[in-house]
mmCIF file of all heavy atoms in Angstrom:
data_model
loop_
_atom_site.group_PDB
_atom_site.id
_atom_site.type_symbol
_atom_site.label_atom_id
_atom_site.label_comp_id
_atom_site.label_asym_id
_atom_site.label_seq_id
_atom_site.Cartn_x
_atom_site.Cartn_y
_atom_site.Cartn_z
ATOM 1 N N MET A 1 -51.878 113.488 -16.748
ATOM 2 C CA MET A 1 -50.957 112.353 -16.773
ATOM 3 C C MET A 1 -49.911 112.544 -15.678
ATOM 4 O O MET A 1 -49.425 113.643 -15.463
ATOM 5 C CB MET A 1 -50.286 112.283 -18.159
ATOM 6 C CG MET A 1 -49.243 111.216 -18.265
ATOM 7 S SD MET A 1 -48.634 110.848 -19.940
ATOM 8 C CE MET A 1 -47.911 112.334 -20.456
ATOM 9 N N THR A 6 -43.318 104.074 -12.306
ATOM 10 C CA THR A 6 -42.276 103.217 -11.769
ATOM 11 C C THR A 6 -42.502 101.785 -12.254
ATOM 12 O O THR A 6 -43.562 101.216 -12.033
ATOM 13 C CB THR A 6 -42.258 103.272 -10.240
ATOM 14 O OG1 THR A 6 -42.104 104.630 -9.830
ATOM 15 C CG2 THR A 6 -41.111 102.447 -9.674
ATOM 16 N N LEU A 8 -41.000 97.973 -12.130
ATOM 17 C CA LEU A 8 -40.122 97.013 -11.485
ATOM 18 C C LEU A 8 -39.713 95.981 -12.533
ATOM 19 O O LEU A 8 -40.567 95.451 -13.241
ATOM 20 C CB LEU A 8 -40.854 96.326 -10.321
ATOM 21 C CG LEU A 8 -40.052 95.319 -9.538
ATOM 22 C CD1 LEU A 8 -40.427 95.370 -8.057
ATOM 23 C CD2 LEU A 8 -40.201 93.921 -10.061
ATOM 24 N N ASP A 13 -30.664 87.911 -14.514
ATOM 25 C CA ASP A 13 -29.691 88.201 -15.571
ATOM 26 C C ASP A 13 -29.623 89.710 -15.819
ATOM 27 O O ASP A 13 -30.605 90.319 -16.293
ATOM 28 C CB ASP A 13 -30.128 87.463 -16.837
ATOM 29 C CG ASP A 13 -29.154 87.608 -17.991
ATOM 30 O OD1 ASP A 13 -28.252 88.458 -17.930
ATOM 31 O OD2 ASP A 13 -29.297 86.853 -18.972
ATOM 32 N N PRO A 30 -45.364 108.158 -26.609
ATOM 33 C CA PRO A 30 -45.513 109.574 -26.286
ATOM 34 C C PRO A 30 -46.658 109.902 -25.325
ATOM 35 O O PRO A 30 -46.624 110.917 -24.642
ATOM 36 C CB PRO A 30 -45.791 110.234 -27.638
ATOM 37 C CG PRO A 30 -45.415 109.244 -28.661
ATOM 38 C CD PRO A 30 -45.467 107.892 -28.031
ATOM 39 N N PHE A 37 -36.999 103.016 -13.316
ATOM 40 C CA PHE A 37 -36.883 101.575 -13.099
ATOM 41 C C PHE A 37 -36.455 101.255 -11.675
ATOM 42 O O PHE A 37 -35.645 101.962 -11.090
ATOM 43 C CB PHE A 37 -35.850 100.968 -14.057
ATOM 44 C CG PHE A 37 -36.301 101.013 -15.487
ATOM 45 C CD1 PHE A 37 -35.795 101.996 -16.345
ATOM 46 C CD2 PHE A 37 -37.194 100.091 -15.992
ATOM 47 C CE1 PHE A 37 -36.205 102.044 -17.660
ATOM 48 C CE2 PHE A 37 -37.606 100.136 -17.306
ATOM 49 C CZ PHE A 37 -37.095 101.117 -18.150
ATOM 50 N N ILE A 55 -45.207 100.930 -7.184
ATOM 51 C CA ILE A 55 -44.864 100.249 -8.434
ATOM 52 C C ILE A 55 -46.096 100.288 -9.348
ATOM 53 O O ILE A 55 -47.183 99.881 -8.975
ATOM 54 C CB ILE A 55 -44.423 98.789 -8.185
ATOM 55 C CG1 ILE A 55 -43.241 98.718 -7.235
ATOM 56 C CG2 ILE A 55 -44.143 98.080 -9.510
ATOM 57 C CD1 ILE A 55 -41.969 99.385 -7.740
ATOM 58 N N VAL A 57 -46.055 99.031 -12.802
ATOM 59 C CA VAL A 57 -46.053 97.831 -13.645
ATOM 60 C C VAL A 57 -44.854 96.987 -13.248
ATOM 61 O O VAL A 57 -43.784 97.531 -12.947
ATOM 62 C CB VAL A 57 -45.974 98.188 -15.147
ATOM 63 C CG1 VAL A 57 -45.820 96.935 -16.006
ATOM 64 C CG2 VAL A 57 -47.178 98.984 -15.600
ATOM 65 N N GLU A 63 -37.781 83.253 -17.320
ATOM 66 C CA GLU A 63 -36.636 82.331 -17.351
ATOM 67 C C GLU A 63 -35.692 82.546 -16.175
ATOM 68 O O GLU A 63 -34.610 81.944 -16.126
ATOM 69 C CB GLU A 63 -35.860 82.516 -18.667
ATOM 70 C CG GLU A 63 -36.716 82.390 -19.924
ATOM 71 C CD GLU A 63 -37.391 81.036 -20.010
ATOM 72 O OE1 GLU A 63 -36.694 80.012 -19.881
ATOM 73 O OE2 GLU A 63 -38.617 81.006 -20.207
ATOM 74 N N GLN A 75 -47.842 84.038 -7.645
ATOM 75 C CA GLN A 75 -47.775 84.326 -6.214
ATOM 76 C C GLN A 75 -48.213 85.761 -5.920
ATOM 77 O O GLN A 75 -48.992 86.001 -4.996
ATOM 78 C CB GLN A 75 -46.346 84.113 -5.701
ATOM 79 C CG GLN A 75 -46.191 84.412 -4.230
ATOM 80 C CD GLN A 75 -44.754 84.248 -3.760
ATOM 81 O OE1 GLN A 75 -43.914 83.682 -4.435
ATOM 82 N NE2 GLN A 75 -44.502 84.749 -2.560
ATOM 83 N N VAL A 86 -48.697 92.949 -14.762
ATOM 84 C CA VAL A 86 -47.449 92.257 -15.024
ATOM 85 C C VAL A 86 -47.268 92.025 -16.520
ATOM 86 O O VAL A 86 -48.178 91.561 -17.203
ATOM 87 C CB VAL A 86 -47.396 90.901 -14.289
ATOM 88 C CG1 VAL A 86 -46.181 90.081 -14.693
ATOM 89 C CG2 VAL A 86 -47.413 91.117 -12.783
ATOM 90 N N TRP A 97 -49.577 79.883 -22.832
ATOM 91 C CA TRP A 97 -50.578 79.313 -21.926
ATOM 92 C C TRP A 97 -50.128 79.424 -20.477
ATOM 93 O O TRP A 97 -50.943 79.632 -19.572
ATOM 94 C CB TRP A 97 -50.903 77.858 -22.296
ATOM 95 C CG TRP A 97 -49.816 76.880 -21.990
ATOM 96 C CD1 TRP A 97 -48.766 76.528 -22.776
ATOM 97 C CD2 TRP A 97 -49.694 76.119 -20.788
ATOM 98 N NE1 TRP A 97 -47.970 75.613 -22.147
ATOM 99 C CE2 TRP A 97 -48.516 75.330 -20.925
ATOM 100 C CE3 TRP A 97 -50.432 76.018 -19.615
ATOM 101 C CZ2 TRP A 97 -48.079 74.459 -19.924
ATOM 102 C CZ3 TRP A 97 -49.988 75.137 -18.621
ATOM 103 C CH2 TRP A 97 -48.834 74.386 -18.793
ATOM 104 N N GLY A 119 -44.544 98.545 -26.934
ATOM 105 C CA GLY A 119 -45.992 98.585 -27.147
ATOM 106 C C GLY A 119 -46.750 97.912 -26.024
ATOM 107 O O GLY A 119 -47.779 98.415 -25.548
ATOM 108 N N ALA A 122 -46.404 100.099 -22.823
ATOM 109 C CA ALA A 122 -47.226 101.299 -22.937
ATOM 110 C C ALA A 122 -48.694 100.965 -22.729
ATOM 111 O O ALA A 122 -49.437 101.703 -22.068
ATOM 112 C CB ALA A 122 -47.007 101.960 -24.294
#
Side-chain angles (χ1 to χ4, degrees):
M1 176 168 62
T6 304
L8 181 144
D13 184 347
F37 293 101
I55 303 297
V57 174
E63 306 301 309
Q75 179 182 347
V86 172
W97 72 273

